Amino acid sequence: AKYCDAVIALGSVLAQILMAQDANLPVEVIPTGIDLRRFAGGDRKRARQSMGIPPDVPVVGHLGRLAKEKNLDFLIRAIVEYQKRDTKAHLLLVGEGPEADLLRNLVVQAGFGKRLHCLGVVPAKSLPDVYAAMDVFAFSSLSETQGIVLAEAMAAGLPVVALAASGVSDIL
């Protein structure tokens, strides 16, 4: 990299890591962009109907790879605590990964399996509707290089609840 005119980092955290390895390394931060228009206009009613979610309940959603490094057991436990207080609250979990069964089991064992909606991986064209079905997007990763789902959720008009973690603040 030191033979390049510049190295592109997707966020400030990655830039800091690269510069820590070589203080003379020319690093420019250029975050990954998204088409904001693509996520506007999702059909909330249609999406909730197709997912079996009642139209008048609060929905906390998460979309992403369901893996240990995403700190999702923490997120699921927090949402279960919320579901104990709000007897109408549902959880929409979108994505797949090695932790998928564990996360589903945490919700089921807590007694909230009927208010859990797991979609697995969805086609990209369905994402606007998926986000529209949510009332809030929850994110628990402790470190992100891109965090594209955060930008997508915000582009869809969702409030985002996330941990103050490296890379996350770049997006938010």
Side-chain angles (χ1 to χ4, degrees):
K2 62 180 149 188
Y3 298 108
C4 298
D5 292 329
V7 175
I8 296 171
L10 301 173
S12 63
V13 173
L14 189 53
Q16 290 169 2
I17 291 169
L18 291 169
M19 289 187 287
Q21 293 177 9
D22 184 347
N24 295 319
L25 188 65
V27 178
E28 298 291 330
V29 175
I30 303 175
T32 303
I34 63 166
D35 181 356
L36 298 176
R37 296 168 296 178
R38 178 174 168 233
F39 297 95
D43 190 328
R44 179 182 179 91
K45 183 179 177 183
R46 178 181 63 212
R48 283 191 172 206
Q49 251 178 352
S50 71
M51 296 173 200
I53 300 173
D56 58 344
V57 300
V59 175
V60 177
H62 176 81
L63 187 149
R65 196 166 98 72
L66 307 180
K68 188 165 187 71
E69 66 271 11
K70 300 295 185 178
N71 195 31
L72 292 170
D73 59 331
F74 169 82
L75 180 66
I76 296 301
R77 291 178 204 285
I79 292 171
V80 162
E81 287 303 312
Y82 168 58
Q83 287 182 305
K84 288 178 183 176
R85 292 188 196 110
D86 188 333
T87 58
K88 292 183 177 183
H90 285 238
L91 168 59
L92 176 56
L93 195 57
V94 184
E96 275 300 329
E99 297 283 302
D101 289 338
L102 169 75
L103 301 172
R104 284 189 281 264
N105 288 337
L106 286 172
V107 177
V108 170
Q109 288 171 3
F112 300 114
K114 290 183 180 177
R115 293 192 273 152
L116 171 64
H117 308 272
C118 297
L119 299 187
V121 177
V122 299
K125 67 180 182 183
S126 300
L127 289 179
D129 285 354
V130 169
Y131 285 118
M134 301 175 189
D135 290 297
V136 64
F137 186 81
F139 195 76
S140 58
S141 184
L142 296 170
S143 177
E144 279 299 312
T145 54
Q146 293 189 69
I148 291 174
V149 294
L150 295 167
E152 291 175 353
M154 290 187 296
L158 287 173
V160 172
V161 175
L163 297 181
S166 63
V168 173
S169 57
D170 283 345
I171 301 296
L172 300 181

